[in-house]
Amino acid sequence: MYHGQKKHYMLQHPMQRRVLQRVASNPLACSCQDFSSKMVFRPRTPITEQLSGESNKDCADFSSKTEDFAVPRRNAMALILSSYIFSGVSFQSVAFAQQSVIGLREYIDSFDGYSFKYPSNWIQVRGAGADIFFRDPYVLDENISVEFSSPSSSNYKSVEDLGPPQEAGKKVLKQYLTEFMSTRLGVRRESKILSTSSRIADDGKLYYQVEVNIKSYANNNELAVMPKDRLVRMEWDRRYLSVLGVENNQLYELRLQTPENVFVEEESDLRRVMESFRVNKIAA
């Protein structure tokens, strides 16, 4: 139905009218054209303000050229409901939450000869003992780091110098267990190699990938005399992923640590991180 040059949509049900009225009162609201299996949304706030001298028709013509986004009905309703739930949250908080799932950022160390991608919301931690170290600001047990052998005391020609991937996996696990040795009474570690593999990346170089699981158990009262008073509990359950590569006569290792329950949720992204690791020739 048209009135002059302006187009008005007839609502088919009073419920639709009430929903749109409530959405229109919300800062995050969008206008809705159809409540069928798919909905078409257009931003209610114009991309540019109306300039003086422009007619409503000009603005309408400009808005009609904006791109439509087809949103499934379930997602559309979720958007409407979430706008009510988070109406008290400032736009700054919303933007910060979105940044945590934006994607990956690349880190390039041309001086030491390696590069990799990491989640864009992770923060760098200095003084962690590795050449570079990033961690999740919320899940403190989740981090990524890079280490490499000394250029003066190593002469690696290929990652195959470590033997096949299975042998390299045993060496990686042994190194992890050595680092996690504890002098506390009643501490016990369980470990196993989950997988070992090799691949040739797009740079033509061979890389090994090793995945291990380590669980740590401890007594809640290690000084108790009676065994019944020393109850064993699990402290943590983590997955460790390592990527090994050789360049510049050095062995490079990218390490990623994450709790097992977090790995299940983020496996796709974390594997992208591991696959992004590259070792590069250092310019003379």
Side-chain angles (χ1 to χ4, degrees):
M1 183 175 182
Y2 294 86
H3 297 276
Q5 296 296 329
K6 296 182 178 179
K7 184 177 180 181
H8 298 270
Y9 299 99
M10 297 296 295
L11 299 177
Q12 302 300 322
H13 194 280
M15 184 62 179
Q16 298 178 5
R17 183 182 297 105
R18 289 197 298 272
V19 171
L20 288 183
Q21 287 174 349
R22 295 182 66 182
V23 173
S25 65
N26 190 283
L28 299 178
C30 295
S31 61
C32 171
Q33 282 186 312
D34 184 17
F35 271 75
S36 60
S37 61
K38 291 211 172 180
M39 293 179 162
V40 178
F41 283 78
R42 289 193 178 91
R44 180 170 293 278
T45 304
I47 297 177
T48 57
E49 297 181 356
Q50 181 177 349
L51 300 177
S52 58
E54 286 185 337
S55 65
N56 291 335
K57 178 179 182 300
D58 294 333
C59 291
D61 291 340
F62 176 79
S63 299
S64 67
K65 297 176 182 178
T66 59
E67 183 179 0
D68 294 341
F69 296 91
V71 181
R73 181 175 182 178
R74 180 180 298 177
N75 294 347
M77 295 306 297
L79 174 63
I80 293 173
L81 293 176
S82 64
S83 66
Y84 300 145
I85 296 173
F86 296 101
S87 58
V89 180
S90 65
F91 283 103
Q92 182 178 1
S93 298
V94 173
F96 180 79
Q98 290 176 345
Q99 289 176 0
S100 66
V101 293
I102 283 179
L104 303 178
R105 181 178 299 169
E106 187 171 22
Y107 179 84
I108 301 175
D109 188 332
S110 56
F111 180 79
D112 291 311
Y114 65 86
S115 65
F116 65 94
K117 294 179 181 179
Y118 64 96
S120 59
N121 68 319
W122 286 20
I123 59 175
Q124 182 177 353
V125 178
R126 301 184 184 278
D131 189 65
I132 189 67
F133 188 98
F134 292 96
R135 69 170 175 83
D136 190 309
Y138 305 106
V139 183
L140 302 186
D141 281 349
E142 191 172 28
N143 56 66
I144 189 170
S145 61
V146 173
E147 299 178 2
F148 48 84
S149 61
S150 170
S152 60
S153 60
S154 60
N155 189 28
Y156 289 93
K157 300 302 181 182
S158 169
V159 71
E160 293 178 308
D161 292 348
L162 299 174
Q166 295 77 9
E167 290 299 319
K170 294 178 182 179
K171 295 176 182 178
V172 168
L173 179 57
K174 182 179 179 180
Q175 181 63 31
Y176 276 127
L177 293 176
T178 300
E179 295 175 3
F180 295 146
M181 288 182 62
S182 175
T183 58
R184 290 185 299 151
L185 296 175
V187 174
R188 176 171 57 88
R189 301 279 160 73
E190 289 185 359
S191 62
K192 61 179 178 179
I193 299 175
L194 300 177
S195 68
T196 58
S197 60
S198 63
R199 62 181 174 86
I200 297 179
D202 55 8
D203 59 358
K205 297 171 185 174
L206 179 65
Y207 295 86
Y208 283 178
Q209 182 161 315
V210 178
E211 297 184 30
V212 302
N213 171 265
I214 302 177
K215 296 180 176 67
S216 178
Y217 297 88
N219 296 328
N220 64 338
N221 186 5
E222 61 271 13
L223 299 179
V225 176
M226 302 301 293
K228 65 178 182 179
D229 296 328
R230 297 193 297 268
L231 300 179
V232 178
R233 61 180 177 84
M234 187 169 65
E235 293 183 303
W236 44 261
D237 180 11
R238 300 172 184 162
R239 180 168 300 210
Y240 295 89
L241 303 94
S242 293
V243 179
L244 306 168
V246 168
E247 186 58 272
N248 308 304
N249 296 328
Q250 296 172 264
L251 175 65
Y252 293 78
E253 181 180 9
L254 176 72
R255 291 183 167 192
L256 195 153
Q257 168 188 300
T258 181
E260 276 290 348
N261 61 327
V262 176
F263 177 78
V264 172
E265 299 176 358
E266 303 178 356
E267 179 176 359
S268 177
D269 291 334
L270 295 180
R271 293 202 181 281
R272 287 171 55 202
V273 170
M274 304 306 290
E275 292 171 359
S276 71
F277 184 56
R278 299 290 183 272
V279 292
N280 309 310
K281 192 71 176 178
I282 299 176

